[in-house]
């Protein structure tokens, strides 16, 4: 770690974000939209390949709505995803769910997208530029700068290979699962003993599609060595990946093309879907790639002057397509913390404690339900019941399941639909009859401003301000 030199000689920002993926571009945009000076440093040049192509409604209609890219997403022509299809559990027949089943995503926005991440990530990064973020690509950050125990900037190599030093009040590490900076936060990554999988994936032209309206569904299919994803990215292009258990890792070694073909042959559903397809062998999709999908969570989310977001702070098994959801949700929570501290409203420690508490709760909900879902001896009704238990949702089982896998388990109103928020207002009015009018008014204002949570996570926790971009005391 480098100690700071003469502060008068260094370039300075309010926040430096390291990494330009969805987590980095989102947190940078949310902070810049509040009038703060933000620098984003990205080591690659966009567009670039990335995996994690299946989005959730909470990201599309929540986070992306707040970022102001809804119309751009509509124009991008991404495949609409109205739910998911599983061949999983004791039921040997495929079964499906629709996002419209949950009130949290009810109405005309009960869908998400399957996206080519090269296009989606570039869309978000370009939006960050338009919102006032200083974006510098081909800039590799080597280390953070510290002064009196506080992180106060970074050292990086610019696009011309020149070493630079830039100061900031905060540094955000959004550089992903291979982050070089996450160790500077203190503590270490804690890997799940249960989810230690390896993904092998490629792209195919000409794969089969489900009948409308399920044409854009992600299909997940269990097979002997793990499970497959089958993601239609366009009318003809499909992302296909095998997520293999650690004890079956030998199947991934050697010739990747042959290994993927052998596992497809072992899975009757995917083999049938690809019976008339050919693997893409050229361009950005021409390589069969390997990704270690070990689930983990960092001990620490924050230290004075620095925080982690996205895959730098945690990653959860991709079965429910939660990768971009968890990354951008962490960015929203961290941005609320940064904005509040930069405005001088609350102390750094309590703001980032709120971020950590809410993220850990969402992470644990997915983790606990995934542990149950990996028990393939159950049927879908048992999975639905478990979703109710894990989320403590009073909705019918199937609806609770959709609310969870759609990214709405946190009940953060920034991530759910207007009809769902309206219904929650009605429910609160019903429960509040007989309460003193002024107390009732304050309760409604605290719970249902422009974007407000209904209660703090912990006994001493914070709630969301009316603008949805800060924390405040209850």
């Amino acid at each position: 770690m480098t100690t700071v030199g003469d502060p008068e000689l260094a370039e300075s920002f309010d926040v430096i974000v390291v990494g330009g993926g969805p987590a980095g571009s989102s947190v940078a945009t949310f902070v810049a939209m509040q009038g703060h000076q933000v620098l984003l440093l990205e080591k690659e040049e966009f567009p670039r390949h990335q995996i994690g192509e299946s989005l959730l409604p909470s990201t599309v209609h929540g986070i992306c709505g707040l970022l102001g890219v809804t119309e751009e997403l509509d124009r991008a022509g991404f495949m609409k995803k109205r739910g998911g299809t599983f061949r999983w559990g004791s039921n040997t027949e495929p079964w499906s769910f629709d996002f419209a089943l949950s009130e949290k995503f009810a109405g005309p926005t009960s869908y998400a997208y399957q996206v080519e991440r090269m296009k989606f990530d570039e869309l978000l990064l370009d939006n960050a530029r338009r919102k006032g973020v200083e974006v510098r690509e081909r800039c590799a950050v080597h280390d953070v700068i510290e002064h009196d125990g506080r992180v106060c900037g970074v050292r990086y190599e610019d696009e011309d290979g020149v070493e630079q030093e830039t100061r900031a009040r905060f540094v955000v590490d959004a550089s992903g699962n291979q982050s070089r900076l996450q160790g500077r936060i203190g503590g270490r990554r804690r890997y799940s003993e249960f989810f230690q999988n390896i993904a092998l994936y490629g792209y195919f032209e000409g794969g089969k599609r489900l009948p409308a309206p399920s044409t854009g569904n992600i299909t997940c299919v269990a097979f002997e060595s793990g499970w497959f994803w089958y993601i239609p990215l366009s009318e003809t292009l499909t992302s296909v990946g095998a997520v293999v258990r650690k004890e079956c890792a030998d199947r991934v070694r050697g010739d990747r093309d042959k290994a993927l073909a052998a596992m497809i042959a072992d899975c009757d559903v995917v083999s049938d879907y690809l019976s008339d397809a050919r693997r893409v062998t050229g361009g950005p999709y021409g390589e069969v790639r390997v990704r270690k999908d070990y689930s983990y969570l960092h001990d620490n989310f924050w230290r004075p002057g620095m925080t982690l977001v996205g895959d730098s702070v945690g990653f959860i098994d991709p079965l429910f397509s939660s990768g971009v959801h968890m990354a951008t949700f962490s960015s929203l929570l961290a941005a609320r913390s940064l904005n509040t501290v930069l405005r001088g409203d609350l102390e750094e420690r309590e703001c980032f404690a709120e971020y950590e508490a809410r993220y850990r709760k969402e992470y644990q909900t997915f983790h606990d339900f995934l542990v149950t879902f990996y028990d393939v001896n159950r049927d879908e009704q048992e999975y639905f019941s478990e979703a109710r238990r894990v989320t403590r949702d009073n909705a019918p089982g199937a609806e609770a399941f959709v609310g969870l896998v759609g990214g709405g388990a946190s009940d953060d109103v920034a991530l759910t639909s207007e009809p769902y928020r309206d219904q929650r207002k009605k429910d609160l009015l019903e429960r509040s009859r007989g309460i003193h009018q002024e107390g009732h008014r304050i309760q409604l204002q605290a719970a249902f401003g422009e974007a407000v949570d209904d209660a703090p996570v912990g006994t001493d926790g914070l709630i969301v301000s009316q603008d949805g971009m800060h924390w405040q005391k209850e």
Side-chain angles (χ1 to χ4, degrees):
M1 186 176 300
T2 306
T3 56
V4 70
D6 187 347
E8 299 299 325
L9 300 178
E11 184 181 35
S12 180
F13 291 83
D14 292 315
V15 176
I16 296 173
V17 177
V18 183
S25 59
S26 294
V27 70
T29 302
F30 286 141
V31 175
M33 288 171 69
Q34 297 301 307
H36 305 298
Q37 298 299 306
V38 183
L39 171 65
L40 187 151
L41 301 171
E42 164 57 46
K43 69 177 181 179
E44 298 186 57
E45 182 175 11
F46 281 37
R48 52 86 175 101
H49 173 78
Q50 185 57 270
I51 195 62
E53 299 140 326
S54 194
L55 304 186
L56 302 183
S58 60
T59 303
V60 171
H61 306 294
I63 298 294
C64 290
L66 293 173
L67 292 171
V69 295
T70 300
E71 292 184 1
E72 289 178 78
L73 280 176
D74 289 342
R75 293 194 299 266
F78 295 129
M79 177 74 76
K80 279 191 174 180
K81 167 188 173 182
R82 301 190 181 277
T85 298
F86 285 86
R87 209 281 296 276
W88 199 278
S90 59
N91 189 345
T92 58
E93 294 298 318
W95 51 275
S96 299
F97 68 88
D98 295 326
F99 292 127
L101 182 61
S102 172
E103 288 184 353
K104 296 181 179 183
F105 312 114
T109 58
S110 57
Y111 64 89
Y113 290 111
Q114 315 283 21
V115 298
E116 295 182 64
R117 284 287 302 275
M118 288 188 295
K119 298 177 181 178
F120 177 73
D121 290 11
E122 187 173 34
L123 184 154
L124 294 186
L125 191 62
D126 287 344
N127 180 64
R129 287 189 176 95
R130 289 195 301 273
K131 294 297 195 300
V133 178
E134 174 74 23
V135 176
R136 299 175 188 171
E137 297 177 73
R138 303 185 300 281
C139 291
V141 176
H142 299 311
D143 210 344
V144 299
I145 301 167
E146 182 183 331
H147 181 63
D148 288 342
R150 181 180 183 84
V151 172
C152 57
V154 299
R155 286 179 54 251
Y156 69 96
E157 185 179 289
D158 67 18
E159 60 181 327
D160 297 319
V162 178
E163 289 291 328
Q164 303 285 353
E165 181 179 294
T166 303
R167 291 171 58 85
R169 292 180 64 184
F170 286 96
V171 173
V172 179
D173 179 18
S175 56
N177 68 318
Q178 295 183 344
S179 165
R180 299 172 61 177
L181 303 181
Q182 49 89 18
R184 299 307 192 193
I185 210 80
R188 63 184 180 88
R189 286 181 176 176
R190 302 288 177 176
Y191 286 88
S192 168
E193 295 182 2
F194 193 87
F195 299 111
Q196 297 187 359
N197 302 322
I198 299 172
L200 180 71
Y201 64 96
Y203 295 83
F204 292 79
E205 282 283 350
K208 293 181 180 179
R209 295 289 180 262
L210 293 171
S214 301
T215 304
N217 276 16
I218 182 174
T219 300
C220 298
V221 185
F223 78 117
E224 184 178 2
S225 299
W227 62 274
F228 266 96
W229 75 67
Y230 187 93
I231 302 174
L233 297 176
S234 71
E235 291 185 0
T236 60
L237 181 66
T238 308
S239 171
V240 180
V243 179
V244 180
R245 296 190 305 276
K246 183 180 179 181
E247 58 268 28
C248 300
D250 284 347
R251 299 203 64 178
V252 177
R253 297 190 177 96
D255 187 304
R256 294 177 180 177
D257 189 7
K258 292 180 179 178
L260 182 59
M263 284 187 278
I264 289 171
D266 286 349
C267 183
D268 56 344
V269 172
V270 176
S271 180
D272 175 64
Y273 282 6
L274 295 176
S275 58
D276 297 321
R278 63 174 181 81
R279 189 176 72 77
V280 178
T281 55
Y285 296 131
E287 180 183 350
V288 176
R289 293 178 167 91
V290 173
R291 164 76 183 263
K292 187 170 73 172
D293 275 337
Y294 282 30
S295 297
Y296 57 85
L297 193 59
H298 208 286
D299 284 336
N300 300 330
F301 285 48
W302 162 85
R303 61 168 290 189
M306 181 179 178
T307 191
L308 308 179
V309 299
D311 286 0
S312 291
V313 75
F315 179 80
I316 191 70
D317 184 272
L319 178 60
F320 293 136
S321 307
S322 57
V324 176
H325 161 67
M326 293 298 294
T328 55
F329 183 50
S330 73
S331 294
L332 175 61
L333 298 175
R336 289 170 177 167
S337 302
L338 292 163
N339 290 334
T340 304
V341 178
L342 288 170
R343 197 166 70 175
D345 292 350
L346 296 169
E347 293 296 321
E348 202 170 335
R349 183 174 299 280
E350 60 182 332
C351 289
F352 285 98
E354 189 66 30
Y355 159 34
E356 180 173 347
R358 290 173 185 258
Y359 182 91
R360 283 187 182 277
K361 180 181 178 183
E362 184 82 342
Y363 184 98
Q364 199 63 48
T365 298
F366 270 100
H367 184 279
D368 290 352
F369 184 65
L370 279 161
V371 170
T372 299
F373 202 81
Y374 264 76
D375 179 356
V376 294
N377 295 314
R378 304 187 181 199
D379 62 26
E380 59 266 34
Q381 295 302 322
E382 292 178 276
Y383 297 137
F384 296 163
S385 296
E386 185 64 17
R388 289 190 65 190
R389 184 193 69 79
V390 170
T391 60
R392 299 180 182 178
D393 194 334
N394 292 325
E399 184 177 336
F401 172 81
V402 175
L404 169 59
V405 301
S410 69
D411 270 344
D412 190 308
V413 295
L415 307 182
T416 53
S417 70
E418 288 290 345
Y420 179 60
R421 295 199 286 275
D422 291 344
Q423 183 60 48
R424 291 183 66 200
K425 289 182 182 180
K426 292 177 183 177
D427 291 344
L428 186 55
L429 281 167
E430 185 69 27
R431 293 196 301 270
S432 300
R433 288 178 180 174
I435 296 178
H436 186 271
Q437 182 62 31
E438 180 63 16
H440 174 71
R441 185 192 66 79
I442 294 171
Q443 183 183 16
L444 284 175
Q445 183 178 357
F448 302 106
E450 293 179 19
V452 182
D453 282 332
D454 59 352
V457 172
T459 54
D460 298 321
L462 306 173
I463 62 172
V464 184
S465 62
Q466 281 196 331
D467 68 4
M469 288 295 140
H470 299 80
W471 300 121
Q472 65 185 37
K473 291 187 181 294
E474 191 176 21

